[in-house]
């Protein structure tokens, strides 16, 4: 076979294998694998490795799928909330002003690569540093099981508003506005019904996965054709399909593909430029802005009535620089506003910010606990809808996690509990759906210590608790919270895999049932009943 027609260079699988090994190593010390991928790219570049078209293409596909899956879970109404649009606007404005003054002062002092820098150039760099990484935030929230939580949705909304600002910047910086044909994209709104029909006919297997790829890549291509950012097109296609009953299943199917492709994304960040001592030192100086950026997010979110803990977790998720900063710097270098060394500086600053942010998010709960007394002073008296006090008085059974298992358990037990049963879920859409179907369900996160502070009546009457949340660690954290608060009654939990059962039992849970095994047992019971009826 002619080597010229082989798309994959022999080094590409080697780089990915090295990224895997690095991710596996950092996972052993409690850090997310993405940190290992970043370190692998950085180390490989030190030894002379460079990105090629294959890695760049796969990385782009990973970002496209990421934004499409975000759209599948997004509710546009959340973007209209003050804690999202106002926080984004005020944070970007304040960050740009602070960073511009900081960088211009260093330029006046003649420090490192800042020497001779004027306010206009400082403003460009400050704008590049005002964004947060969408990829990092979503990966962190997914790993924590908090993508649909109040602070998780706020963080995603802020990132989407930043993406909108990015589209405006790209349009004006390139001197290229969307073409008149961009108006034709409005036809996608009524077309969503036809797309939903195709989605329904695709089933649940490989056809649905192919449909998802087609929608994500097709949406990106359509937007690029009319002069708009392709990533925004992938997001828009996801939003159009978000109300479909199979949207969540499609997002789950694409998750593993997205995760694999994003390995190449983190590799390419580390492979962006070969550092020198001067560029590395300049990047380190820019890390001074990260704590300011983080505290500003936390303060603004609390000002818009979010609780201190959620605001802290949201601020930590956004406490980094964005891959979009590289795009801004490339444009600035192309226009001869900046020296080419600044691409390496921003790449190093981005990589370092993601590594530091990963470590901070691993210890997010410890960070909040240490400064909770100070952060609680930032809270407002009035709460957001869904953060109000919860009255557990008169209830006998609590169910955390009102997905399919939680709903089935609720319906089965409500008669036995004389309807003194209440469900709790952190997904607003799930809460609304359950309430519409006649169940009593409130918004809350059992892993959040502040959830328990919302309870205004003693829970002495609670006879049993079921933990049926989708994330294994969430069930463990919730059980620990309840036991630490003195609950001595029985706790039952679901599990997916046999090795999870023992861990659950070791963390204060009395009874564990494996969903797959119980499904088989239930099917056998039905089969036995049919056999008995036939014999009669």
């Amino acid at each position: 076979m002619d080597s010229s027609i082989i798309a994959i260079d022999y080094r590409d699988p080697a780089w990915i294998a090295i990224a895997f090994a690095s991710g596996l190593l950092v996972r052993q010390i409690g850090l997310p694998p993405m940190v290992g991928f970043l370190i692998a790219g950085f180390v490989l570049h030190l030894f002379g490795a460079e990105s090629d078209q294959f890695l760049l293409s796969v990385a782009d596909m990973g970002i496209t799928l990421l934004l499409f899956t975000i759209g599948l879970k997004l509710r546009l109404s959340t973007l209209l909330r003050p804690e999202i649009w106002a926080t984004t606007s005020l944070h970007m404005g304040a960050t740009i002003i602070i960073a511009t003054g900081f960088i211009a002062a260093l330029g006046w002092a003649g420090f490192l690569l800042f020497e001779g820098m004027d306010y206009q150039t400082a403003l460009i760099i400050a704008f590049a540093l005002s964004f947060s990484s969408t990829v990092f935030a979503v990966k962190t929230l997914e790993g924590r099981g908090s993508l649909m939580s109040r602070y998780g949705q706020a963080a995603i909304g802020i990132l989407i508003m930043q993406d909108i600002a990015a589209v405006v910047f790209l349009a004006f910086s390139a001197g290229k506005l969307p073409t008149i044909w961009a108006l034709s994209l409005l036809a996608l709104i009524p077309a969503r019904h036809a797309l939903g029909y195709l989605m329904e006919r695709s089933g649940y297997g490989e056809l649905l996965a192919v449909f998802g790829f087609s929608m994500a890549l097709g949406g990106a291509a359509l937007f690029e054709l009319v002069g708009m950012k392709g990533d925004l097109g992938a997001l828009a296609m996801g939003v159009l399909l978000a109300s479909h009953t199979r949207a969540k299943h499609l997002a789950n199917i694409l998750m593993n593909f997205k995760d694999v492709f994003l390995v190449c994304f983190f590799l390419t960040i580390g492979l962006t430029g070969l550092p020198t001592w001067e560029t590395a030192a300049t990047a380190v100086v820019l890390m001074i802005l990260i704590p300011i950026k983080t505290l500003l997010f936390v303060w603004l979110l609390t000002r818009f009535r979010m609780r201190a803990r959620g605001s802290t977790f949201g601020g930590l998720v956004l406490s980094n620089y964005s891959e979009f900063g590289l795009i801004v710097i490339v444009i600035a270098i192309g226009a001869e506003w900046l020296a080419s060394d600044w691409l390496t500086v921003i790449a190093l600053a981005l990589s370092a910010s993601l590594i530091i942010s990963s470590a901070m998010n691993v210890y997010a709960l410890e960070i909040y606990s240490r400064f909770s007394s100070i952060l609680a002073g930032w809270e407002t008296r009035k709460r957001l809808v869904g953060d109000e006090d919860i009255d557990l008085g008169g209830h006998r059974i609590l169910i955390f996690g009102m997905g399919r298992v939680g709903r089935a358990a609720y319906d089965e037990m409500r008669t036995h509990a004389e309807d003194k049963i209440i469900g709790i879920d952190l997904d607003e859409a799930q809460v609304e759906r359950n309430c519409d179907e006649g169940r009593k369900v409130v918004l809350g996160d059992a892993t959040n210590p502040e959830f328990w502070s919302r309870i205004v009546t003693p829970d002495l009457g609670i006879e049993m608790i079921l933990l049926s949340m989708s994330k294994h660690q969430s069930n463990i954290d919730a059980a620990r919270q309840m036991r630490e608060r003195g609950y001595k009654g029985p706790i039952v939990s679901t599990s997916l895999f046999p090795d999870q059962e023992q861990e659950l039992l070791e963390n204060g849970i009395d009874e564990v049932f494996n969903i797959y095994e119980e499904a088989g047992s239930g099917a056998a019971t039905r089969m036995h009943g049919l056999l008995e009826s036939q014999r009669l």
Side-chain angles (χ1 to χ4, degrees), residues 184-453:
S184 65
L185 294 175
L186 295 174
L188 289 172
I189 298 175
R192 72 184 188 278
H193 300 295
L195 296 176
Y197 174 78
L198 291 175
M199 191 173 178
E200 188 76 30
R201 302 294 295 175
S202 298
Y204 290 94
E206 63 274 14
L207 268 180
L208 187 60
V210 174
F211 173 82
F213 269 86
S214 301
M215 292 299 98
L217 300 178
L222 279 176
F223 273 56
E224 290 284 355
L225 281 174
V226 297
M228 297 183 70
K229 197 166 179 271
D231 292 343
L232 192 62
L235 178 69
M237 291 301 291
V239 170
L240 287 175
L241 298 170
S243 60
H244 197 280
T245 55
R246 296 191 183 176
K248 184 176 181 180
H249 186 71
L250 176 57
N252 291 336
I253 289 177
L254 296 179
M255 183 179 297
N256 290 331
F257 291 106
K258 166 179 64 66
D259 289 345
V260 172
F261 293 156
L262 287 177
V263 172
C264 294
F265 167 78
F266 289 110
L267 267 177
T268 55
I269 290 178
L271 292 169
T272 301
L274 192 64
T276 63
W277 286 111
E278 190 174 29
T279 56
T282 304
V284 169
V285 171
L286 292 178
M287 301 311 295
I288 295 173
L289 295 171
I290 290 293
I292 299 172
K293 187 175 183 179
T294 305
L295 288 172
L296 188 55
F297 268 125
V298 177
W299 184 78
L300 285 171
L301 289 170
T302 55
R303 291 299 86 198
F304 288 101
R305 298 186 292 157
M306 280 187 63
R307 291 180 180 263
R309 183 183 186 275
S311 300
T312 302
F313 276 39
L316 289 173
V317 164
L318 299 169
S319 63
N320 44 67
Y321 297 133
S322 170
E323 51 280 0
F324 180 73
L326 296 176
I327 299 174
V328 174
I329 298 303
V330 167
I331 293 173
I333 292 173
E336 298 184 351
W337 299 333
L338 282 173
S340 59
D341 286 343
W342 276 98
L343 181 61
T344 304
V345 171
I346 299 301
L348 290 172
L350 168 60
S351 301
S353 73
L354 294 181
I355 292 171
I356 293 171
S357 191
S358 294
M360 289 195 300
N361 277 277
V362 168
Y363 298 102
L365 183 57
E366 289 80 357
I367 292 172
Y368 170 72
S369 298
R370 182 169 183 179
F371 300 103
S372 58
S373 58
I374 299 174
L375 296 170
W378 294 1
E379 290 183 338
T380 58
R381 292 184 179 180
K382 192 174 181 180
R383 301 294 185 202
L384 291 172
V385 176
D387 268 351
E388 307 94 338
D389 293 336
I390 299 174
D391 186 357
L392 294 181
H395 293 96
R396 296 169 55 189
I397 296 178
L398 265 63
I399 299 179
F400 291 98
M402 290 300 294
R404 285 177 293 181
V405 175
R407 291 194 299 269
Y410 187 107
D411 294 340
E412 184 72 23
M413 294 298 296
R414 69 189 309 172
T415 302
H416 300 289
E418 301 174 345
D419 215 29
K420 296 178 179 179
I421 182 171
I422 185 170
I424 298 166
D425 200 287
L426 58 74
D427 186 345
E428 292 182 56
Q430 285 284 20
V431 173
E432 290 180 8
R433 172 183 175 179
N434 278 283
C435 290
D436 291 342
E437 294 176 356
R439 304 180 187 92
K440 185 175 182 180
V441 180
V442 296
L443 185 68
D445 180 2
T447 65
N448 186 340
E450 289 186 0
F451 164 78
W452 302 98
S453 69

